[in-house]
Structure formats: C-alpha cells, structure tokens
Amino acid sequence: MLKALAVGATLAASLVATGVPANAAGSALPDEEMVIGVVAANGSGCPLGSAQVTPAPDNKAFTVTYSQFTAQVGLGTKAADFRKNCQLALDVHVPQGYTYAISGTDYRGFAHLERGASGSETANYYFQGERQSTQIRHDFRGPIDGNWQRTDTVGISSLAFLPCGEKRYLNVNTELRVNAGSSNIRKTTSMLTMDSTDGRIDTVYHVAWKKC
C-alpha cells in the first residue's frame, strides 16, 4: 500500500508557448504554472519523507532527491539490503490545453564495489492505469569507487503522452541491486547508492510538452 505524503512543489514558468503545430512534440512550452507533488511513495529506497520533488524553472525537468536509497552487501549489512527500490506516484498539474511525457532521465549516485562484486540500476515509468514501460538497466562491475551517472533517452517519435484532458498519476519505479559475486563479504562491503557524500543526489526527469 502506498503511503500518502504531504509533499509538493510549485514552479512559475518563464517561457511562453511558441504556437507551433500540435504534432510537433516538445516544441511548445506552457505559459502557466506546472505544479508537481509526491502523492505517495513506497519502497525500501524511499521511506516516508526521504524523497522530495523539485520542478525546474524552465518547465523542462523536475528533480527527485533521495536521502536513503542505498543497496549494499557484505560486512555490517542485512540480507535484504542487496536490493532497494522506490515507486513514486507524482501528481503533475498540466496547464490547460497541454499534455506531457517523459523524454529522458539522468540518474546520479555513488558506487563502491569491491573486486568481484557487481551492481545494477533499473528504471521505468508509466501513467496510472497503463502498462509498465520496458525496463532500462545499467550494469556496474567492481572494482569501482566514485560517483556515477547514467542517462536514459527516449526519442521524440516514441514518446508516450498523457491523453489530453485526463488526470493520471505518473508512476516512477527505480531499483538498485548489488551482487557480492566473488568478493569477500566477511571483510568488505560493496554498495550502490542514489545519495552523494553530502546527502543529496539528484535524479532529473526531462519533460517534453505539446499542445492538445
């Protein structure tokens, strides 16, 4: 069961619509507020209150910040720690006459994988009531010790737009996994996280707009 969160963010748009044809995806930006709120969050990677959403000032992106999203194996860890996941239900206020779709995702984090260990980051996103999209997976192999970034890109021609006039939550699913492999779990710890050393890590979901 998803846990309701009283988290929200507002944004004042700074660009006006260009007035291009309706089938030119992503070329017309709304001249109204886009309001994004976290309706619910569920998963071991985003306990209550640990995920926040901030929209960009240009209406092209929003950022999800995690504070407790770390998968790990080895010394000092629990058996269930090898996998962490987070499902966010986002309520995106769509300005009248517009719809939107996710056109790309940038993931950033920190990885410490011992020699012989491996990890993966997997993500998909879909509108409420629709079939989940194909999962996009990025793999990591030790030894690694440092920051990482991966980008998922969806071509404009294959964008799945929210049907005009309909209100559906946008579901975002993300998963981290770590496999100990041949590493010595009695003496070492391997981890993969969406949380930087200063406690903040940004996941940016780019938004493409079109007129209805």
Side-chain angles (χ1 to χ4, degrees):
M1 180 69 68
L2 296 179
K3 299 180 180 179
L5 297 181
V7 180
T10 60
L11 131 84
S14 59
L15 299 177
V16 297
T18 59
V20 295
N23 59 0
S27 59
L29 295 176
D31 189 25
E32 299 180 29
E33 286 188 345
M34 183 173 78
V35 181
I36 301 174
V38 179
V39 177
N42 185 38
S44 54
C46 56
L48 185 64
S50 67
Q52 297 186 9
V53 179
T54 304
D58 61 1
N59 262 15
K60 292 183 178 179
F62 59 90
T63 297
V64 182
T65 303
Y66 304 97
S67 61
Q68 299 183 40
F69 203 162
T70 301
Q72 54 187 344
V73 295
L75 188 65
T77 68
K78 299 178 182 179
D81 289 344
F82 83 98
R83 174 185 178 272
K84 297 291 182 177
N85 74 293
C86 182
Q87 176 175 305
L88 297 176
L90 305 178
D91 184 9
V92 182
H93 165 73
V94 182
Q96 186 174 5
Y98 287 86
T99 186
Y100 72 97
I102 299 300
S103 60
T105 309
D106 299 326
Y107 292 98
R108 300 182 181 90
F110 179 82
H112 175 82
L113 299 176
E114 296 288 333
R115 187 177 300 278
S118 61
S120 65
E121 176 267 316
T122 307
N124 65 4
Y125 28 84
Y126 59 97
F127 292 114
Q128 181 183 15
E130 295 186 355
R131 187 173 58 183
Q132 293 192 23
S133 62
T134 302
Q135 291 186 339
I136 301 176
R137 173 173 165 168
H138 299 283
D139 294 318
F140 305 81
R141 295 191 180 278
I144 300 175
D145 186 35
N147 296 324
W148 60 268
Q149 178 176 340
R150 297 294 185 271
T151 300
D152 299 341
T153 302
V154 180
I156 292 296
S157 61
S158 64
L159 286 177
F161 280 88
L162 175 67
C164 287
E166 293 192 17
K167 181 176 181 179
R168 300 181 188 176
Y169 294 142
L170 174 65
N171 294 316
V172 179
N173 291 327
T174 311
E175 178 189 84
L176 297 179
R177 285 178 180 259
V178 176
N179 186 346
S182 61
S183 65
N184 188 341
I185 60 175
R186 295 182 179 180
K187 295 183 178 181
T188 65
T189 302
S190 294
M191 67 176 64
L192 189 62
T193 179
M194 283 190 190
D195 184 7
S196 68
T197 54
D198 64 2
R200 291 175 57 87
I201 185 64
D202 296 335
T203 302
V204 180
Y205 300 89
H206 299 285
V207 177
W209 295 90
K210 75 172 182 179
K211 281 189 173 183
C212 293

